């Protein structure tokens, strides 16, 4: 019988490859909470375009934290949805699921959270729903959040656990005013570091660091970690290891062709692996061949095209002309001057669409004055789209 595909495009990887440095750093922060029972320091923020492995790394950290005795609360932000009520709700559920609380303290913590819930729920939609100017701070919400995080973290520790790990994914999509509240609450908790066995780790698009620095003056103290494409050795492992684990190999030329298509992008590597696998329908002992890869390319290109299309459609007219000018260069790395000239503008005059596209993770800097698409193959897609 053919084996089920071990590749996971769009899903948590079965084998988490690489990221040794990042895992080490995140592990050190967890260890600080475990050893000293204190706050892990300022929030950590993983940032990168989509598909680079931020969520996978956060989930991996969550797994490791659980093994160390943490109670973990996970929040995925979404455009137009409040974040803090989610945080309170997720912390509450985590405490209940972990059963770390005895009846009395459970009741006290849950009461606090319910109370704060009400404050967030009512307050944020009215008083705090809009962007705040500096200096004006929604004190009630900040103190409320501090209490929720403090009570939860301390009660985990009292019951013999390590502490609380709060994970916030897609932070770029959170309401700006709520990000400010979160940062202020964490800053205040840092003042009583020894009472707060807590770590906060977040992930978001490349716009996230700037958002955090704008949201609070001390936001810049957050620890920003950029998640990069895989180098060739790790990219190889993403294709090789999941297959190898179930007794299936890759022919070298097929593997090399796959590496070239994906260009170090973790999502595309998983997609290449999966489409090749679907075509080959291998059994144990089989080898994935170049023919299989080529036969799977249609499926793969279809998926890639849908992603390019979504990015293109979400761009403004000016951004689209910026993207066409990039595509027009026909090489991976595009000099900024070429874009300006093609658009018929001064180099300075293109910095707004450039910044917006970088923030949303559509393009990225590739050395000084040079740019590239974050999705390999997007340039070719745009050329096809415009000629067809
Ligand atoms: N370290 C890794 N090893 C193997 N595959 C990975 C790794 N990180 C991410 N992936 C794969 O890449 C894709 C995108 O990962 P994800 O964590 O969702 O990225 P992001 O959150 O940055 O958009 C998924 O298909 C996932 O399986
Ligand atoms: Mg993600």
């Amino acid at each position: 019988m053919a084996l089920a595909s071990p590749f996971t495009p769009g899903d948590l990887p079965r084998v988490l490859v690489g990221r040794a440095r990042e895992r080490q750093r995140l592990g050190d922060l967890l260890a600080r909470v475990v050893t000293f029972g204190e706050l892990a320091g300022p929030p950590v923020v993983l940032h990168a375009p989509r598909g680079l492995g931020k969520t996978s790394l956060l989930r991996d950290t969550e797994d490791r934290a659980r093994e160390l005795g943490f109670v973990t609360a996970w929040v995925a932000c979404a455009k137009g949805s409040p974040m803090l009520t989610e945080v309170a709700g997720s912390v509450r559920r985590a405490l209940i699921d972990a059963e770390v609380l005895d009846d009395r303290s459970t009741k006290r913590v849950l009461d606090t959270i319910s109370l704060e819930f009400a404050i967030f729920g009512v307050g944020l939609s009215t008083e705090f729903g809009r962007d705040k100017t500096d200096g004006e701070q929604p004190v009630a919400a900040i103190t409320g959040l501090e209490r929720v995080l403090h009570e939860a973290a301390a009660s985990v520790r009292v019951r013999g656990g390590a502490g609380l790990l709060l994970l916030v994914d897609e932070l770029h999509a959170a309401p700006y005013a709520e990000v400010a509240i979160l940062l202020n609450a964490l800053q205040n908790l840092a003042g009583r570091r020894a009472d707060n066995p807590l770590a906060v780790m977040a992930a978001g698009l490349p716009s996230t660091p700037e958002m955090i620095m704008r949201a609070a003056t001390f936001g810049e103290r957050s620890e920003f970690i950029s998640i990069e494409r895989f180098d060739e050795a790790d990219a190889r492992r993403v294709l090789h290891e999941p297959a190898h684990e179930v007794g299936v190999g890759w022919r070298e030329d097929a593997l090399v062709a796959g590496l070239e298509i994906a260009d170090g992008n973790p999502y595309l590597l998983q997609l290449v692996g999966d489409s090749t696998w679907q075509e080959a329908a291998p059994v144990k002992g089989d080898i994935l061949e170049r023919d299989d890869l080529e036969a799977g390319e249609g499926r793969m290109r279809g998926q890639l095209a849908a992603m390019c299309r979504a990015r293109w459609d979400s761009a403004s007219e000016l951004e689209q002309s910026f993207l066409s000018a990039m595509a027009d260069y026909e090489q991976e790395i595009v000099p900024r001057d070429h874009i300006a000239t093609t658009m018929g503008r001064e180099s300075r005059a293109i910095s707004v669409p450039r910044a917006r596209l970088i923030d949303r993770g559509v393009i990225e800097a590739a050395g000084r004055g040079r740019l590239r698409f974050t999705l390999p193959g997007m340039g070719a897609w745009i050329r096809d789209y415009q000629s067809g």
Side-chain angles (χ1 to χ4, degrees), residues 10 45 78 110 115 120 164 230 233 240-241 259 272 314:
V45 181
L110 295 188
L115 188 76
F120 294 145
L164 178 71
F230 284 128
H240 173 80
E241 284 185 14
L259 291 176
V272 165
S314 73

Side-chain angles (χ1 to χ4, degrees), residues 69-86:
F70 279 83
V71 167
T72 66
W74 180 282
V75 173
C77 304
K79 266 247 143 54
S81 304
M83 166 180 67
L84 295 178
T85 48
E86 280 289 314

